[in-house]
Amino acid sequence: MKKTLFFVFAALLLAAPVKAQNITVEVSNLTHGIYFTPLLVAAHPEGTHLFQSGIPASVNLQAMAEGGEISGLISDLMAVSADIADNPAGGLLGPGLSASATFPKGGKNDFLSITAMLLPTNDGFVGLDALEIPKPKGVYTFYLNAYDAGTEANNEIINGGGAPGVLGIPADPGGNNGTGGTGITLTEKNKTVHIHRGVLGDTDLNGGPSDLTSTAHRWLNPVAKLVITVN
Amino acid sequence: MKKQAYWMMAALLLTSFFIQGCGEDNPQSTGASSRSYDITVVNLSSNQPLSPIAAIMHGPGYQGMTLGSPASLGLEQLAESGDHSAFILEAKASGAVSDTVSGTNVITPGAQTTLTLTGDEQLFTLVSMLVNTNDAIAAVNVIHLDQMAKNETMTLFVRAYDAGTEGNSETAGEVPGPAGNGEGFNSARNDRNVVSLHPGVISQDDGLPASALDQSHRFDQPVAKILIKRVS
């Protein structure tokens, strides 16, 4: 009898989290050799945008896209009382890895945005711009594209340059890069946020036009998978 | 007697048709009542200007392109030269089209343009050439708008397709955009002659020496974004 009661209690306790009105968000890195810098995942009101394709990047988006710095975007989100998951991966999110965050359900923060810089790129980032979070309970899958912030020429030279306006790539966390490249280009044709054309790279680890390695660093869209679970 | 029955049937059909059509705000309603949509096209490519767009509002009796099938002559001309006039004429000739817009502006990378379609058919097709290619088109094909409520918006990401009518030589002589200033339409069909997704361009910077294109002309999917708003 006691045992039965215990199990009933246990069942109730186990059931409790399922009843919680929340939303879990899982982001997976689908690339072959690209790392995501600390993710910024936020639920926010309608009308808020971390970026919009076809529109020039804000200075805070530029800082994220060129160097992985998300504090400026977090300030922007706090100003609209967004629910913010700051760096849910606890650092870099490598190829094949996933990170999750939980958000309250209901209220005005019913749009979801995501950004993270792609390493090694000059100003590439994975992005989601204000997706309306589905309301009915269920599991929803989306695929995210790689964007180019349009703020820095894609010279593909790894020189530690991550500050806004400093030409160059901060690092390749995977260590597949070469050195001594002469640089792919000094110009950026589309200065608005747009779909990244991909990196060129080369196969010369001690020179050539690019410090990136074509066999290691290329990708095709989509670059991330997003699974939203509405509980 | 037979004739009477026929007319009664016709009247019944018409009645049900109009009842359906009256539900202007009923998202289930299809056809019968005219609606307007504002269509904004944003070029998301790095360095591929988009030719003036061809936008078509149509019914099920028209299909501007079919994956895996040869392009029409009008689609071939659009895809190879950016000239949409024959493509629009083909659409009108189908008898299943309620509105067309023949764009006049090139949409440069990062730029956008807005047009309005108005009509009583609720399928939507849009095509534009990526001009620094042999025969690439940005296209959305038979998009259903009938579920949209008034003032509702929808975002579409637009993929690049290969019309399959011209080999992807990338040479200056055969790329009509500013990267080549070459020939546009040529009636010879020297590619696979079926419409497919575009494999992307290679460029001289990635191992195709004869290419007039450089690394900036490379693209990944999607190449454009379309924002649709039903305004009436």
Side-chain angles (χ1 to χ4, degrees):
Chain A
M1 188 62 175
K2 267 182 187 166
K3 219 173 205 173
T4 313
L5 269 174
F6 171 77
F7 276 116
V8 170
F9 271 115
L12 282 169
L13 282 169
L14 279 171
V18 178
K19 282 188 176 171
Q21 298 282 296
N22 65 21
I23 292 152
T24 61
V25 172
E26 182 185 54
V27 180
S28 302
N29 179 341
L30 298 181
T31 70
H32 177 67
I34 300 294
Y35 289 72
F36 297 173
T37 61
L39 277 160
L40 175 56
V41 186
H44 55 74
E46 184 171 15
T48 297
H49 298 276
L50 299 180
F51 71 95
Q52 287 179 281
S53 53
I55 290 178
S58 68
V59 291
N60 290 334
L61 187 86
Q62 180 180 6
M64 183 282 299
E66 295 188 16
E69 175 57 61
I70 55 177
S71 59
L73 291 176
I74 288 174
S75 297
D76 294 343
L77 288 162
M78 288 171 71
V80 296
S81 302
D83 296 311
I84 302 166
D86 171 7
N87 190 17
L92 297 172
L93 187 71
L97 299 179
S98 303
S100 295
T102 302
F103 293 94
K105 191 181 174 186
K108 294 203 156 163
N109 290 336
D110 51 359
F111 284 76
L112 189 73
S113 287
I114 298 172
T115 64
M117 181 190 183
L118 302 175
L119 277 178
T121 68
N122 286 89
D123 60 339
F125 69 98
V126 55
L128 175 70
D129 171 26
L131 173 77
E132 187 169 9
I133 299 169
K135 290 195 170 51
K137 287 181 184 180
V139 180
Y140 304 86
T141 301
F142 302 89
Y143 289 90
L144 310 186
N145 291 322
Y147 290 89
D148 187 315
T151 56
E152 182 176 316
N154 295 346
N155 74 340
E156 301 188 8
I157 297 301
I158 297 181
N159 61 358
V166 176
L167 184 61
I169 297 174
D172 174 21
N176 293 309
N177 61 292
T179 57
T182 53
I184 294 290
T185 181
L186 292 172
T187 58
E188 180 71 7
K189 301 287 184 184
N190 186 341
K191 293 183 168 58
T192 70
V193 176
H194 57 279
I195 294 294
H196 203 293
R197 62 186 178 275
V199 297
L200 197 60
D202 60 37
T203 53
D204 185 348
L205 291 177
N206 300 299
S210 174
D211 284 349
L212 305 187
T213 302
S214 53
T215 51
H217 292 134
R218 289 197 178 184
W219 72 80
L220 292 172
N221 284 325
V223 293
K225 184 169 82 165
L226 164 67
V227 178
I228 300 176
T229 305
V230 180
N231 295 309
Chain B
M1 186 65 176
K2 266 183 186 163
K3 218 173 205 171
Q4 246 186 342
Y6 171 76
W7 282 114
M8 274 179 66
M9 288 262 286
L12 280 169
L13 281 169
L14 275 171
T15 308
S16 62
F17 186 61
F18 280 119
I19 287 168
Q20 268 203 323
C22 287
E24 174 80 21
D25 292 320
N26 175 359
Q28 299 302 320
S29 76
T30 56
S33 55
S34 182
R35 299 176 176 188
S36 285
Y37 300 88
D38 282 349
I39 313 276
T40 299
V41 182
V42 187
N43 183 338
L44 298 186
S45 74
S46 161
N47 196 10
Q48 289 286 347
L50 292 172
S51 69
I53 55 179
I56 298 157
M57 200 173 188
H58 58 90
Y62 169 76
Q63 182 149 336
M65 58 182 262
T66 304
L67 276 174
S69 293
S72 68
L73 184 59
L75 186 64
E76 178 185 12
Q77 288 182 12
L78 201 175
E80 294 182 11
S81 72
D83 177 359
H84 53 43
S85 53
F87 184 71
I88 294 282
L89 284 174
E90 285 175 355
K92 287 178 173 168
S94 74
V97 165
S98 59
D99 196 13
T100 63
V101 171
S102 303
T104 53
N105 304 324
V106 170
I107 311 169
T108 55
Q112 53 185 265
T113 193
T114 299
L115 57 97
T116 303
L117 283 172
T118 302
D120 56 5
E121 302 286 0
Q122 307 301 329
L123 300 176
F124 169 59
T125 291
L126 183 147
V127 184
S128 168
M129 180 190 183
L130 280 65
V131 300
N132 287 325
T133 67
N134 291 88
D135 62 340
I137 47 172
V140 291
N141 190 26
V142 193
I143 303 295
H144 290 249
L145 304 180
D146 53 294
Q147 300 293 312
M148 290 183 77
K150 197 173 168 185
N151 292 321
E152 190 177 337
T153 59
M154 174 161 71
T155 301
L156 302 174
F157 285 97
V158 186
R159 293 188 182 92
Y161 295 87
D162 189 320
T165 56
E166 180 177 313
N168 295 337
S169 65
E170 302 181 16
T171 56
E174 294 182 336
V175 168
N181 291 312
E183 179 186 61
F185 172 64
N186 183 317
S187 62
R189 295 203 176 196
N190 59 355
D191 200 0
R192 293 185 57 235
N193 200 24
V194 292
V195 178
S196 66
L197 273 176
H198 202 285
V201 296
I202 297 168
S203 84
Q204 58 192 239
D205 291 328
D206 200 17
L208 186 61
S211 176
L213 310 181
D214 65 35
Q215 52 79 29
S216 73
H217 300 108
R218 296 159 66 242
F219 57 86
D220 191 3
Q221 311 280 19
V223 293
K225 178 172 75 171
I226 298 179
L227 306 171
I228 303 175
K229 181 175 186 185
R230 183 181 160 198
V231 291
S232 72

